[in-house]
Amino acid sequence: MIEPLRLDNVILAVPDLARAVDWYRERVGLRPVVVREEVAVLHPADGGAGLCLRLDPDDPSHSTVWFEVDDARAVAAGLGLEAFRIATGWSVEMTDPWGNTVGFTDYRG
């Protein structure tokens, strides 16, 4: 059984990353902590769960939520899926029945 430790990130697809970063910084008060060509991560002042903006000019219509887990590779194995490497550790994603992405990530560098 999967046991999420906490909500990690909500990931939104956006057609214009720079504009979205500016909007969430200015209107929502989130602080950009990572800004790259195709992705930006913004956090609230307490450093809690973040908002990840992913550039997708073709299909900005679906949502993604990631939960932190102790070991994403073990979760992937339990789901019969393959984990993939990210900058901070490992992740695995699946799609819910409504087309949204649900991911599990760890910080095992």
Side-chain angles (χ1 to χ4, degrees), residues 18-109:
R19 187 169 167 218
V21 168
D22 288 345
W23 192 91
Y24 278 96
R25 183 181 61 236
E26 293 169 10
R27 302 245 178 144
V28 181
L30 297 178
R31 179 178 42 94
V33 294
V34 173
V35 178
R36 297 203 171 122
E37 188 175 319
E38 295 188 6
V39 68
V41 179
L42 298 90
H43 280 219
D46 72 356
L51 176 64
C52 181
L53 302 172
R54 181 180 50 79
L55 180 62
D56 191 344
D58 299 323
D59 183 18
S61 64
H62 69 278
S63 298
T64 301
V65 61
W66 273 13
F67 295 94
E68 183 181 348
V69 293
D70 185 52
D71 187 343
R73 288 178 285 184
V75 170
L79 294 170
L81 299 171
E82 195 166 319
F84 55 91
R85 196 90 155 100
I86 60 170
T88 55
W90 290 90
S91 292
V92 60
E93 293 180 329
M94 61 185 175
T95 304
D96 74 12
W98 305 277
N100 298 300
T101 303
V102 179
F104 303 95
T105 189
D106 64 37
Y107 288 92
R108 294 179 169 241

